Amino acid sequence: MTTRHRSLPLRADGCPRTARCAVGNQAAVMAFHAFRALYKESYLAYATARLGSRRLAEEAVEDTLTALAVNWSSVLGCSHPAAVAWQLLCEHVDHAGKDTPLPPPCCCRHRCVADALVLCVQLEMDSAMAAELMGLAHSEFLAALRGANEPGFGRCPCSPPGRREAGQPPYAR
């Protein structure tokens, strides 16, 4: 495990740096352990898919979880802790691959769409679970997936070929 930690981003509403945890420290510690248990394996799968290296992925995930633990009380004060955690994970994955030329998460270069495709197509994750992992509402997640097939966007070459039934959202599981 490395010792570099990224500070959490300061959002327009001041979260997470100025947020205060309304629960006691014990409850916050228990909440962090539950969060870690719930998301660690999925984070590791995503990071491995992006980095192509289990070792680098483990390092990025541990760095992410350590930074989250340090700032957990502030993260809990945010309206979407999973979104803050996902952003931090993506930053650590990008940083872990800085010494090795990495392809972008998707050649379409749209981060949200690219991450959605990695989770649903490459990792075959259920869209509801993938949305939760990224800290998005399911409808926002499905919109990101649909964006890969919008005429103005151009078909994302990372999308798997194949036909879908009329009215079926792409990659909805």
Side-chain angles (χ1 to χ4, degrees):
M1 186 169 102
T2 62
T3 57
R4 66 182 183 278
H5 303 289
R6 296 200 177 285
S7 61
L8 292 173
L10 181 61
R11 294 184 356 200
D13 65 0
C15 185
R17 294 183 195 242
T18 61
R20 298 285 180 248
C21 182
V23 296
N25 285 340
Q26 188 71 358
V29 169
M30 289 173 33
F32 176 76
H33 286 294
F35 184 92
R36 180 185 178 99
L38 183 63
Y39 292 115
K40 184 178 180 182
E41 288 305 313
S42 295
Y43 282 2
L44 193 53
Y46 167 80
T48 301
R50 282 282 319 283
L51 294 167
S53 164
R54 179 75 176 198
R55 182 189 61 76
L56 287 175
E58 287 173 349
E59 202 172 278
V61 170
E62 283 305 316
D63 286 349
T64 299
L65 293 172
T66 299
L68 274 174
V70 168
N71 295 286
W72 188 244
S73 292
S74 294
V75 171
L76 280 179
C78 294
S79 58
H80 299 289
V84 173
W86 184 259
Q87 182 179 359
L88 193 59
L89 174 66
C90 291
E91 289 174 11
H92 280 280
V93 167
D94 290 345
H95 185 75
K98 73 177 172 111
D99 296 330
T100 307
L102 287 177
C106 168
C107 44
C108 67
R109 300 180 195 272
H110 290 78
R111 184 49 169 266
C112 186
V113 173
D115 288 346
L117 288 170
V118 168
L119 295 173
C120 282
V121 177
Q122 192 171 348
L123 299 177
E124 298 179 346
M125 188 177 288
D126 174 78
S127 63
M129 176 58 192
E132 181 182 318
L133 191 67
M134 290 176 67
L136 298 173
H138 193 236
S139 59
E140 292 173 317
F141 182 84
L142 292 176
L145 284 177
R146 266 187 228 106
N149 294 317
E150 289 297 317
F153 181 83
R155 179 154 177 88
C156 176
C158 300
S159 301
R163 297 162 39 129
R164 63 178 198 263
E165 300 299 317
Q168 176 190 5
Y171 319 115
R173 286 189 167 41

